[in-house]
Every structure is written in structure tokens, then in C-alpha cells.
């Protein structure tokens, strides 16, 4: 069973779907409503919370995930996973009014992530708590709760230089992605989300009651490539869907800041074993950006953020 789970994870290049639970669906409904109201605020109001230290508002075009000359046609609000630790001046009133629900939602997401990490550890023949022990909700981390809005696309947008979200992999351990459907009666629809599998892009639809789970870079380094980080993007919609906005909620799970990452002791063969560089440091032998073991994941995160934002305010 463990071998089968591991083989499937490798095969699908680090992205899979989970069924959500009923109580989480109620929280999702509430936060998609909060998100809509947040992004409907005037631009000058939103820019009063401009992103700093990876917390706050990111306007359209400021984050460019693939190439700096390819515009990401989206806007976002980032909050620390432990929302209650955010200072009042970083929180719009829309969020302040829903702090108790936000705390419940982020804790629930963290718990769901823990269940996923236990399954992944078991698939790699590790102790089930191996990854969970590095992800305490109450300890400081770079985990982020992100609300995203992909506005309707006017005809004036140049499709040659614009995408909803450029090709990238996520930077932490795993990501939980929730995609909103246009109505309760809709079971599934095209979302524009695509995952790169063996050199080809494959559509990932929005499905009722489902979470998309992406393996991210740190977990891929941690496991020496036994688990692949998911390379994904969001393309511009077809003509008949251009008038629709897209709303998603992402929960980016990162290890605690105090945790030092070393290769896992999994007995399964490693596709990309760690190696020593000329200075004797243990480093990853693959990945979108260099990674050095025996340290926490923050340096890697900030290097990746530095390469994707068009200004230094992140």
C-alpha cells in the first residue's frame, strides 16, 4: 500500500485532490464571501495595506511568477497562518470582523495539512509524525493564508504578455488550494489551473467539495526528489469565461522557523541525492533555485520571493 501511494505521487508530479469535510465547506463559503468583499474595496483602500514582509495586499502585476515581462493578472491578500498575530494596522476591517472564523479556518487547514503530511511520511516508510513535528501551529513559521482574485479579463488585455499566474512551484512544504465554483449547483468547471506533467500541461478543474494539494519545493528538497514539487500555472480563460472572476484561497504550509532541514532517512531510493559543494556544505542536486541543507527554509523562501516581485516591499 505504501509503495502504491508513493508511486502515484511521483506519477502525478506532486499534485492531487482531496475531498473536503462538511464543516470546512461552511467556513469556505464564509471566506469566499469575505474575499469578494475585500477585493471590491477601492484600489486606494487596498493599497493602504500594500504587501510588506509577505503580509498584505499585492496589486495586479506586482507579482510575476514566471518571467518579469509576463504580467500576472491577479491580486491577492496575504495573512500569517496564525492570523491573530497580525498587527491591527495590517488587517482590513473585513478581516478584523471575522477574526474568530479566520482563526478557526486556518487551524482547520493546518490540521488537514497535518493529515496529508502523516500520509506522505507513511508512504516514504517514515514515522507518521516525521513531518508533522516540524509544523506546530503555535510556533513561528512562514505559513501564509492567501486570498486571491483573478478579475474578469477585458478584451484590451494582451494575451501574449499576460497570464493569470505564471508557471511556478510553491516554496514551502505543501499548499492547500480551494477553488470557488460560480454556484452551489455547479459540480465542476474549467478553472484555468494547469499542472506540468512529463513536459505537458494538464487541466485541473474546480470540483465541488475538493481541495487541490500541491507538493512544494521544501518538501521536495527534504525528500531528495522522492516527492516532486508541482509546477503549475493559471492561464487566461476562454472567450466564454472571460467575464467571470476567479476566487481561490491558498494555505501555504511552511515548517517552523526553528526547524533545521536535513534529508529524510527514508529507505526508498532518492532520485536526486544530496551532495557536498566545494565548501563542504550539503546541498540539493536539483530544483528551481539552490538549496543548502542544515538550515531552516526561510532563506530559500525570501530568495524566491525576491525573484517574483517587481518591487522590494514583499
Amino acid at each position: 500500500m505504501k509503495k502504491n501511494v508513493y508511486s502515484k505521487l511521483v506519477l502525478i508530479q506532486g499534485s492531487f485532490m482531496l475531498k473536503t469535510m462538511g464543516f470546512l465547506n461552511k467556513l469556505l463559503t464564509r471566506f469566499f464571501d469575505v474575499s469578494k468583499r475585500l477585493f471590491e474595496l477601492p484600489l486606494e483602500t487596498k493599497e493602504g495595506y500594500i504587501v510588506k514582509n509577505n503580509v498584505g495586499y499585492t496589486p495586479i502585476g506586482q507579482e510575476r511568477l514566471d518571467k518579469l515581462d509576463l504580467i500576472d493578472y491577479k491580486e491577492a491578500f496575504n495573512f500569517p497562518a496564525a492570523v491573530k498575530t497580525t498587527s491591527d494596522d495590517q488587517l482590513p476591517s473585513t478581516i478584523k470582523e471575522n477574526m474568530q472564523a479566520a482563526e478557526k479556518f486556518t487551524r482547520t487547514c493546518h490540521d488537514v495539512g497535518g493529515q496529508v503530511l502523516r500520509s506522505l511520511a507513511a508512504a516514504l516508510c517514515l514515522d507518521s509524525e516525521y513531518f508533522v513535528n516540524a509544523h506546530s501551529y503555535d510556533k513561528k513559521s512562514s505559513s501564509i493564508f492567501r486570498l486571491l482574485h483573478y478579475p474578469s479579463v477585458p478584451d484590451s488585455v494582451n494575451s501574449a504578455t499576460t497570464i493569470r499566474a505564471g508557471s511556478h512551484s510553491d516554496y514551502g512544504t505543501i499548499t492547500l488550494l480551494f477553488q470557488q465554483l460560480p454556484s452551489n449547483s455547479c459540480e465542476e468547471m474549467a478553472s484555468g489551473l494547469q499542472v506540468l506533467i512529463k513536459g505537458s500541461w494538464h487541466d485541473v478543474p474546480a470540483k465541488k467539495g475538493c481541495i487541490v494539494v500541491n507538493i512544494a519545493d521544501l518538501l521536495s528538497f527534504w525528500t531528495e526528489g522522492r516527492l516532486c514539487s508541482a509546477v503549475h500555472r493559471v492561464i487566461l480563460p476562454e472567450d466564454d469565461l472571460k467575464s467571470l472572476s476567479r476566487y481561490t484561497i491558498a494555505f501555504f504550509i511552511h515548517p517552523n522557523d526553528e526547524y533545521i532541514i536535513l534529508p529524510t532517512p527514508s529507505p526508498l531510493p532518492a532520485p536526486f541525492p544530496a551532495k557536498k559543494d566545494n565548501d563542504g556544505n550539503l546541498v540539493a542536486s536539483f530544483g528551481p533555485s539552490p538549496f543548502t541543507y542544515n538550515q531552516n527554509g526561510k532563506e530559500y523562501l525570501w530568495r524566491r520571493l525576491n525573484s517574483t516581485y517587481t518591487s522590494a516591499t514583499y
Side-chain angles (χ1 to χ4, degrees):
M1 179 66 179
K2 290 178 181 177
K3 184 177 179 182
N4 288 342
V5 172
Y6 171 66
S7 299
K8 288 176 182 176
L9 286 169
V10 172
L11 178 65
I12 60 179
Q13 296 290 294
S15 188
F16 53 96
M17 280 191 177
L18 289 179
K19 267 296 221 186
T20 60
M21 294 148 283
F23 64 89
L24 185 55
N25 290 337
K26 292 179 182 178
L27 285 169
L28 275 173
T29 299
R30 180 167 182 171
F31 269 92
F32 276 125
D33 177 65
V34 168
S35 179
K36 188 171 185 293
R37 287 190 285 123
L38 194 60
F39 289 114
E40 285 175 347
L41 292 172
L43 181 59
E44 58 269 26
T45 301
K46 292 183 287 189
E47 287 183 335
Y49 301 96
I50 205 73
V51 65
K52 186 175 183 181
N53 296 323
N54 207 26
V55 174
Y57 174 67
T58 302
I60 294 172
Q62 184 174 328
E63 185 181 28
R64 303 187 183 188
L65 291 166
D66 191 355
K67 302 172 183 176
L68 290 181
D69 58 352
L70 190 62
I71 297 168
D72 280 24
Y73 200 71
K74 69 176 190 299
E75 54 182 346
F77 261 99
N78 286 10
F79 307 98
V83 185
K84 65 181 181 181
T85 64
T86 313
S87 61
D88 276 356
D89 61 352
Q90 291 179 293
L91 291 175
S93 58
T94 314
I95 296 296
K96 290 178 186 176
E97 293 162 2
N98 290 276
M99 283 295 289
Q100 189 173 357
E103 172 76 3
K104 185 176 181 180
F105 182 72
T106 56
R107 277 192 177 274
T108 301
C109 287
H110 184 269
D111 291 345
V112 171
Q115 294 175 40
V116 172
L117 291 177
R118 288 184 180 93
S119 297
L120 295 177
L124 295 173
C125 303
L126 298 168
D127 183 277
S128 62
E129 301 300 300
Y130 185 87
F131 297 121
V132 172
N133 288 338
H135 297 83
S136 171
Y137 182 85
D138 295 315
K139 291 182 179 178
K140 192 173 181 181
S141 78
S142 297
S143 295
I144 287 291
F145 166 49
R146 188 177 218 200
L147 306 177
L148 291 127
H149 173 222
Y150 301 83
S152 58
V153 182
D155 292 336
S156 57
V157 167
N158 184 348
S159 60
T161 59
T162 308
I163 193 167
R164 276 186 156 172
S167 170
H168 67 288
S169 52
D170 295 333
Y171 313 146
T173 306
I174 59 172
T175 302
L176 306 182
L177 179 70
F178 306 90
Q179 304 185 85
Q180 187 183 40
L181 289 164
S183 69
N184 288 331
S185 61
C186 182
E187 295 290 328
E188 179 178 327
M189 72 174 291
S191 67
L193 177 63
Q194 295 183 325
V195 175
L196 187 65
I197 302 177
K198 296 183 178 179
S200 298
W201 290 104
H202 294 257
D203 294 330
V204 180
K207 287 190 174 184
K208 188 174 184 177
C210 287
I211 311 171
V212 178
V213 181
N214 288 331
I215 304 296
D217 292 347
L218 287 183
L219 187 56
S220 193
F221 293 136
W222 215 334
T223 62
E224 297 173 284
R226 294 178 180 91
L227 298 175
C228 302
S229 52
V231 177
H232 53 289
R233 67 182 184 181
V234 182
I235 60 173
L236 293 176
E238 299 293 333
D239 288 346
D240 57 335
L241 296 176
K242 278 187 174 182
S243 62
L244 296 179
S245 287
R246 178 177 185 257
Y247 291 91
T248 64
I249 298 173
F251 192 77
F252 298 99
I253 298 176
H254 289 250
N256 298 132
D257 290 353
E258 66 185 31
Y259 190 84
I260 301 301
I261 296 175
L262 289 167
T264 64
S266 171
L268 299 179
F272 303 102
K275 62 181 182 180
K276 288 194 174 181
D277 64 13
N278 293 334
D279 297 320
N281 298 311
L282 194 63
V283 298
S285 59
F286 70 108
S289 184
F291 179 77
T292 302
Y293 293 95
N294 204 32
Q295 61 180 247
N296 65 26
K298 289 191 73 174
E299 181 182 339
Y300 180 80
L301 168 65
W302 290 106
R303 188 186 321 120
R304 293 299 306 275
L305 289 173
N306 186 52
S307 69
T308 59
Y309 277 81
T310 58
S311 70
T313 58
Y314 57 82

